[in-house]
Amino acid sequence: MKHRPVIATEDDPHWYKDAVIYQVHIKSFYDSTNDGVGDFAGLIEKLDYIASLGVNAIWLLPFYPSPRRDDGYDIADYRNVHPEYGTMADVKRFIHEAHRRGIRVITELVVNHTSDQHPWFQRARAAKPGSAARDFYVWSDSDQTYAGTRIIFVDTEKSNWSWDETAGAFYWHRFFAHQPDLNFDNPRVLKEVLNVMRFWLDLGVDGLRLDAVPYLIERDGTNNENLPETHAVLKTIRAALD
């Protein structure tokens, strides 16, 4: 799982293996309104140019509503677009125009964690311990749980746990403290994540690149990376989308 998977859903499930994929960060690609930020309208305007390069798939980096403390990888709303990049109508038009040119669309989907501004986390921190809302994330009364798990951003983070005053507990994060990890031991989390995937696939997206998937599951006594239980989650996702 060093290479995070693209979950493709076409009749040919392996189309992406030979694809010429053009990666796009909306905010820095093309600004159609001269406000200093790229947008979907600008990307649509340049589709003929992209097609002329022989590209047959565009891979969009995160474009969702976000505080953008981690360049959009801290998602605050899975079913919308950051207002500086355009509207959902713009996204639908982009998908249509890309398909009209024979270009498939892959979107980046961060499923390991959310922004701490996501409504799920705001509900979780205010909910009672053991409640369904609280269990959307990984909590502990001690910051010594899962000792031995490496800290990914050692230059900024001193622990994989952060204290939340409202919750009165520590929450787990493999990345920045403002990106709490979802609890994939909770079946409701996987159900919601699958619903998000279906939302974008129903909109016409051809594939999803799932970010940070080696870290979905935590187990005592392990390094909490690439665990068998994590592979089981990915197989469940694959089967559901098939």
Side-chain angles (χ1 to χ4, degrees), residues 122 135 176 181:
Q122 292 301 311
D135 286 347
F176 295 112
D181 277 27

Side-chain angles (χ1 to χ4, degrees), residues 168-187:
F170 293 95
Y171 63 89
W172 180 253
H173 54 88
R174 288 307 306 272
F175 293 88
F176 295 112
H178 57 81
Q179 294 168 310
D181 277 27
L182 289 164
N183 177 19
F184 275 88
D185 281 322
N186 181 350

Side-chain angles (χ1 to χ4, degrees), residues 92-104:
K92 293 175 183 177
R93 186 162 68 93
F94 160 70
I95 294 171
H96 172 76
E97 291 297 332
H99 286 168
R100 195 165 66 83
R101 291 164 174 82
I103 299 173
R104 292 184 170 102

Side-chain angles (χ1 to χ4, degrees), residues 41-235:
L43 178 56
I44 294 168
E45 192 175 327
K46 293 295 183 180
L47 279 176
D48 285 336
Y49 161 72
I50 293 174
S52 74
L53 300 176
V55 169
N56 46 31
I58 291 176
W59 165 17
L60 297 177
L61 297 188
F63 55 83
Y64 316 94
S66 164
R68 292 188 299 198
R69 296 179 65 187
D70 187 21
D71 210 19
Y73 282 81
D74 47 333
I75 297 174
D77 181 353
Y78 279 115
R79 291 180 170 86
N80 217 325
V81 57
H82 195 290
E84 288 191 350
Y85 305 155
T87 66
M88 285 300 295
D90 293 326
V91 176
K92 293 175 183 177
R93 186 162 68 93
F94 160 70
I95 294 171
H96 172 76
E97 291 297 332
H99 286 168
R100 195 165 66 83
R101 291 164 174 82
I103 299 173
R104 292 184 170 102
V105 176
I106 301 168
T107 59
E108 186 95 343
L109 189 64
V110 186
V111 297
N112 176 69
H113 54 264
T114 69
S115 165
D116 59 6
Q117 301 305 304
H118 196 291
W120 293 349
F121 187 72
Q122 292 301 311
R123 282 197 297 267
R125 65 199 296 258
K128 294 179 179 179
S131 65
R134 175 68 71 95
D135 286 347
F136 255 64
Y137 294 83
V138 182
W139 300 90
S140 176
D141 293 328
S142 168
D143 62 357
Q144 299 305 304
T145 309
Y146 307 139
T149 305
R150 73 184 176 104
I151 298 171
I152 293 173
F153 295 142
V154 293
D155 54 336
T156 60
E157 305 299 322
K158 300 191 182 304
S159 173
N160 288 313
W161 293 101
S162 286
W163 177 258
D164 185 82
E165 196 66 40
T166 299
F170 293 95
Y171 63 89
W172 180 253
H173 54 88
R174 288 307 306 272
F175 293 88
F176 295 112
H178 57 81
Q179 294 168 310
D181 277 27
L182 289 164
N183 177 19
F184 275 88
D185 281 322
N186 181 350
R188 296 187 183 189
V189 169
L190 180 55
K191 180 180 179 181
E192 285 298 327
V193 167
L194 285 170
N195 285 340
V196 168
M197 293 178 179
R198 292 187 183 101
F199 173 84
W200 290 106
L201 296 172
D202 288 346
L203 213 64
V205 165
D206 302 288
L208 305 164
R209 178 184 180 272
L210 307 185
D211 182 68
V213 294
Y215 317 112
L216 298 184
I217 295 289
E218 302 79 30
R219 290 292 182 269
D220 279 322
T222 75
N223 66 359
N224 288 309
E225 297 183 14
N226 297 310
L227 301 183
E229 294 91 336
T230 294
H231 286 267
V233 170
L234 293 177
K235 288 178 180 178

